[in-house]
Amino acid sequence: MAGRRTVAALPQPGFRPGEELPDSLDALCAAHAEAVAGLAAGRPFALVGHSAGANAAHALARHLEARGDGPAALVLADVYTPRAPGAMGVWRDVMLRWAMDRSPVPPDDTRLTAMGAYHRLLLGWTPGPTRAPVLHLRATLPMADWTDPDEDWRSVWDTAHTVADVPGNHFTMMTEHAPATARAVDGWLDALFGGNRRRGEA
């Protein structure tokens, strides 16, 4: 996105030693909402989240919409919910080994504890529709063999307005294939808003 859109990352609290974890999903969304309001400064913006972060992005979008300053667009990349984990539940060990062996920031005790805490925060959460249009990005490659003929391994999001498949698996779509993922997001935002670069820029 460099040179095309302004991008900011919202770190989830609790993944570094000494950081406190949010005690509720509402508390997390309230903190992020203030950060987003400061970054957007009244300009239209898009929210993007990947994996569990996509659940948080969706919850944040709903929180912002409820208070009247929601996003212009929402992008959910390979999202699976804790209540319906699908293939991610089957591949839990594969996912953990992949993260331990290949992640640029390998999970330690603090990060693993935070992952469990966020899982609990989202376990009772039920996603609802958003006013913002939703782009649902799905990985093209599975994390491991999939033999269930009755269920697709790919991510499902029932209220998506647009679904697009991008190269890579659950992790590599955001690493070595990140340029292709970024082009998919950028092109969708352009099509959605007629190439107005101010839309979805934060």
Side-chain angles (χ1 to χ4, degrees):
M1 296 291 187
R4 293 183 60 78
R5 300 185 188 275
T6 302
V7 179
L10 295 175
Q12 307 285 36
F15 280 83
R16 293 181 178 181
E19 285 185 345
E20 293 186 351
L21 287 158
D23 61 5
S24 68
L25 187 57
D26 284 342
L28 175 68
C29 288
H32 279 336
E34 293 307 312
V36 168
L39 290 165
R43 297 169 296 176
F45 62 94
L47 292 176
V48 181
H50 168 250
S51 191
N55 292 308
H58 180 276
L60 176 57
R62 296 262 297 178
H63 180 93
L64 289 165
E65 288 179 343
R67 70 181 216 172
D69 52 359
L74 176 63
V75 180
L76 305 177
D78 226 38
V79 56
Y80 296 83
T81 66
R83 181 175 285 184
M88 293 299 110
V90 177
W91 293 334
R92 187 171 286 114
D93 291 344
V94 174
M95 303 283 287
L96 184 58
R97 284 199 303 272
W98 184 285
M100 293 293 291
D101 294 342
R102 308 191 191 194
S103 173
V105 186
D108 57 15
D109 288 350
T110 299
R111 294 176 64 82
L112 288 171
T113 300
M115 288 168 62
Y118 277 88
H119 183 86
R120 288 192 298 274
L121 283 185
L122 291 161
L123 197 55
W125 164 75
T126 300
T130 59
R131 290 193 290 274
V134 176
L135 171 63
H136 175 207
L137 297 176
R138 304 185 305 185
T140 303
L141 299 175
M143 289 297 302
D145 292 338
W146 187 258
T147 58
D148 188 341
D150 299 320
E151 184 177 357
D152 193 350
W153 62 267
R154 292 177 297 181
S155 169
V156 174
W157 197 262
D158 292 335
T159 58
H161 298 79
T162 304
V163 179
D165 293 335
V166 295
N169 64 30
H170 182 75
F171 289 116
T172 62
M173 66 186 289
M174 301 301 289
T175 53
E176 50 256 54
H177 296 292
T181 301
R183 285 193 296 272
V185 174
D186 192 49
W188 180 70
L189 291 173
D190 271 352
L192 198 61
F193 301 117
N196 183 348
R197 200 51 79 187
R198 287 183 62 81
R199 303 289 290 193
E201 66 178 358

